[in-house]
Amino acid sequence: QVQLVESGGGLVQAGESLRLSCAASGRAFSSTVMAWFRQAPGKEREFVACISRDGDRTLYGDSVKGRFTISRDNAKNTGYLQMNTLKPEDTAIYYCATRVSSILTITPPLYDTWGKGTLVTVSS
């Protein structure tokens, strides 16, 4: 079983950037599809991005496309989410998740391991 720990969240102003990290331990990280989701207060969990096992395929949610970049370093058992041009509506708890599969998916229940999340707050 993979354990996941997110870091890198914080308070920034609109237009600024942040990079989130997801450190994985346990079962081989490289055998999993990795994703980022987010959840704002009072809203449902929203798909942000996912990346294939070897990093050659990615998917993005429409609200972050062109601003966020997902990546991974399997040698370091770490995934990343580079977030640029942040907006107040990006404010949420960001979660890292993995699933043992070669298939990319945006559906939260199909991910079997989740971190506890890191809070990102974007002020206007």
Side-chain angles (χ1 to χ4, degrees), residues 19-98:
R19 188 176 82 156
L20 305 183
S21 297
C22 173
S25 61
R27 187 181 58 199
F29 178 65
S30 60
S31 67
T32 67
V33 168
M34 187 196 77
W36 289 93
F37 293 84
R38 67 187 183 185
Q39 189 164 18
K43 295 188 177 181
E44 293 188 353
R45 193 161 294 192
E46 176 189 12
F47 169 75
V48 175
C50 64
I51 187 168
S52 61
R53 294 179 298 188
D54 56 6
D56 64 340
R57 290 174 292 133
T58 56
L59 288 176
Y60 291 94
D62 288 342
S63 62
V64 306
K65 205 171 294 184
R67 298 188 298 124
F68 291 10
T69 303
I70 190 171
S71 62
R72 67 191 298 162
D73 185 341
N74 288 338
K76 296 182 177 179
N77 284 345
T78 303
Y80 304 97
L81 184 69
Q82 178 66 42
M83 307 185 295
N84 297 330
T85 318
L86 282 161
K87 304 176 181 179
E89 51 263 45
D90 294 319
T91 295
I93 299 174
Y94 284 71
Y95 298 90
C96 172
T98 59

